[in-house]
Amino acid sequence: MGALSERRVREIYEQFAHRRLNDLEHAIDENIDFLSHAPADIFPYLGRRRGQAEVLRAFTEVHEELEVLSFWPLTTVVNEDRAALSVIVKVKDRATERSAHYRAAHFLRFRDDRIIECCAIIDSLDAARQLAGQETAVQDS
């Protein structure tokens, strides 16, 4: 495989945003270590996940609960086998029809063109407030 590129990273994010999990399967290592800090009672599909099957199951749950309206890297920095991204996320809860708009930071490590580590940081409290219909610091644009 060639060197990791910004184009490849954006392609992976597009696969997630458009729920193309079969394509995404080829971008995730069998032994991936995935971590996204968030309260489990509000975002039960986030948290720590290990292994490709567990991560893909979590991604499936995300898409079952939330309609991903946009999920696009604002900035992407690639250095050797690592990528760091700031991501703009807009989702709508399928049950309540409420939406949330927030930023996230993602840190990825690759081996052989597959993600072996992912750490995601979101303002989960702000997202939870928006999905609950409460006023928030981040304005929906």
Side-chain angles (χ1 to χ4, degrees), residues 21-70:
L21 301 183
N22 288 337
D23 294 335
L24 194 55
E25 178 180 348
H26 302 291
I28 297 174
D29 189 78
E30 252 182 56
N31 299 309
I32 186 173
D33 186 6
F34 175 91
L35 176 62
S36 182
H37 293 286
D41 58 328
I42 299 170
F43 300 103
Y45 35 79
L46 297 180
R48 172 157 253 145
R49 302 282 182 252
R50 291 198 169 115
Q52 183 187 68
E54 206 174 304
V55 169
L56 289 172
R57 190 169 34 256
F59 288 173
T60 297
E61 291 175 24
V62 167
H63 283 285
E64 287 172 353
E65 297 289 323
L66 303 171
E67 178 183 354
V68 178
L69 303 172
S70 66

Side-chain angles (χ1 to χ4, degrees), residues 117-134:
E117 290 179 2
C118 176
C119 178
I121 302 168
I122 67 168
D123 186 349
S124 56
L125 179 59
D126 188 41
R129 285 180 178 155
Q130 291 177 63
L131 291 170
Q134 298 174 359

Side-chain angles (χ1 to χ4, degrees), residues 45 65-67 91-100 131:
Y45 35 79
E65 297 289 323
L66 303 171
E67 178 183 354
V91 295
K92 181 168 69 171
D93 186 295
R94 293 185 187 278
T96 66
E97 299 284 314
R98 292 189 180 115
S99 63
L131 291 170

